[in-house]
Amino acid sequence: MPGKKILVIGSSGQIGTELVEGLRERFGDANVVAGDIKEPQVEQSGPFAMVNAMDRRGIERIIEKYDISEVYLLAALLSATAEKDPAFAWQLNMESLFIVLELAREGKLKKVYWPSSIAVFGPTTPKDATPQHTIAEPGTVYGISKQAGEQWCAYYHKRYGVDVRSIRYPGLIGWKSAPGGGTTDYAVHIFHEALKHGKYTCFLGPDTALPMMYMPDAIRATIDLMEAPAEKVKLRTGYNLSGISFDPKGIAAEVKRHIPGFVIDYAPDSRQSIADSWPRSIDDSAARDHWGWSPKYDLKGMVDDMMVNLMPLLKS
Ligand code: SER
């Protein structure tokens, strides 16, 4: 759509950093406003605005100033950080969602993107090829906020016709931005530590398989979902999305192909019980059927690409 203007709230985070880049490539630098309370991790090729995701007036001012029609709301506390301050995590994750849903209901936005997570699932969920519709009794405050948020998205869509779309991201791995506060962050740390020090102490045990995805796939999925014709977006909770499932010993073996002397050891901490409550792999047939999703990267392809890109950055 010509003239489309997008605001990404939480643009300095792990997903935001790469999503802004992807959106700017697709829709033009000037048409994508990056917004965060934190300075960007990378140099900006388009507008950046300081914004607090819980400040409705602040968000409205940016929407008015730049004539924004779509918001991607990425600001959140992730699973591990949220457990340290459950009340604040609930407040941030929910209030920010309500603000953008309300702005959309009032006709000030045409479309909203809000990320959900595999954290909506819990210990009673079937762990392998976890279906789209299944038991979802989350065990973390982050998961509770994502599950409740999904239901609010579906409610605003059904009741008010708000065009809100969402994906249940697995753990995301990328080289352009640092992760912050998630249970799946080990799968990014391992590359940095392997390249810098040749060794890594993993905070999850060797056999802890989790659903993961390489960031380019996640960014493509996000933009594809937002660009899909509305009638194809049949689910207004969050879409299951599957990329790669592996455990720490599996990714360590792949890293070793590049760094033969690499050594991993294991010191599971409180994040282990979070990981143990999540699925090992995900069934994403709804996303494939409804809007044509398909991942491009497998474990080897992801590790090769991470190494090629991170090596020059960390060695310079
Ligand atoms: N990567 C996220 C986390 O670990 C999952 O949504 O919290």
Side-chain angles (χ1 to χ4, degrees):
M1 184 183 39
K4 168 153 65 183
K5 292 279 184 71
I6 298 168
L7 169 62
V8 177
I9 301 174
S11 62
S12 301
Q14 187 196 12
I15 302 174
T17 300
E18 298 216 25
L19 182 63
V20 166
E21 204 181 287
L23 288 167
R24 283 183 176 152
E25 267 165 30
R26 188 118 161 215
F27 302 110
D29 289 346
N31 294 324
V32 180
V33 181
D36 207 302
I37 44 168
K38 284 186 287 191
E39 291 294 331
Q41 291 192 36
V42 295
E43 206 177 309
Q44 294 295 300
S45 58
F48 175 83
M50 283 308 231
V51 64
N52 180 335
M54 292 191 289
D55 172 14
R56 181 186 155 118
R57 267 310 296 153
I59 295 170
E60 257 188 301
R61 270 196 295 273
I62 296 169
I63 290 174
E64 282 157 19
K65 176 170 172 194
Y66 292 97
D67 199 17
I68 299 290
S69 54
E70 292 183 15
V71 165
Y72 289 68
L73 171 62
L74 305 175
L77 284 199
L78 294 195
S79 58
T81 318
E83 289 307 299
K84 298 195 177 113
D85 193 349
F88 176 66
W90 176 258
Q91 190 188 9
L92 170 62
N93 294 4
M94 289 291 94
E95 258 180 41
S96 56
L97 175 60
F98 269 105
I99 289 170
V100 293
L101 288 177
E102 277 293 294
L103 289 167
R105 183 180 69 79
E106 292 163 13
K108 293 171 182 149
L109 292 172
K110 289 203 173 72
K111 241 189 247 182
V112 171
Y113 180 80
W114 183 75
S116 187
S117 162
I118 53 164
V120 297
F121 301 119
T124 50
T125 304
K127 284 206 172 298
D128 294 299
T130 301
Q132 174 73 43
H133 301 285
T134 185
I135 301 167
E137 298 177 322
T140 61
V141 64
Y142 175 67
I144 296 170
S145 75
K146 289 299 180 191
Q147 197 210 35
E150 281 195 11
Q151 297 305 318
W152 278 113
C153 289
Y155 181 87
Y156 267 73
H157 176 71
K158 194 172 81 182
R159 173 101 196 255
Y160 305 118
V162 167
D163 191 351
V164 54
R165 305 175 182 203
S166 181
I167 284 170
R168 291 173 181 157
Y169 290 124
L172 298 179
I173 299 153
W175 56 272
K176 294 181 185 170
S177 56
T183 301
T184 55
D185 294 6
Y186 91 83
V188 179
H189 297 160
I190 190 171
F191 290 97
H192 290 257
E193 295 305 306
L195 284 165
K196 279 191 277 193
H197 307 298
K199 59 182 191 302
Y200 177 58
T201 300
C202 186
F203 58 75
L204 299 180
D207 303 312
T208 314
L210 286 168
M212 300 276 189
M213 181 173 286
Y214 196 34
M215 194 63 94
D217 272 343
I219 299 302
R220 185 169 51 83
T222 306
I223 301 176
D224 281 359
L225 173 61
M226 282 296 271
E227 291 303 304
E231 66 275 11
K232 292 197 184 247
V233 187
K234 296 181 187 134
L235 290 174
R236 299 299 177 141
T237 50
Y239 273 98
N240 275 9
L241 211 63
S242 173
I244 324 163
S245 283
F246 58 81
D247 56 21
K249 68 176 183 332
I251 191 174
E254 284 298 321
V255 168
K256 238 180 140 135
R257 281 196 303 109
H258 293 263
I259 305 171
F262 174 64
V263 181
I264 186 165
D265 60 8
Y266 301 92
D269 65 15
S270 59
R271 289 168 279 193
Q272 183 68 50
S273 63
I274 299 178
D276 288 341
S277 77
W278 287 352
R280 283 189 287 261
S281 62
I282 296 287
D283 177 341
D284 60 1
S285 42
R288 288 170 187 264
D289 292 351
H290 294 181
W291 46 275
W293 158 249
S294 149
K296 285 197 179 140
Y297 286 89
D298 60 10
L299 177 58
K300 181 177 178 301
M302 181 270 285
V303 172
D304 289 351
D305 202 62
M306 281 292 281
M307 286 293 181
V308 165
N309 285 293
L310 267 184
M311 225 178 260
L313 292 183
L314 294 181
K315 295 229 158 122
S316 59

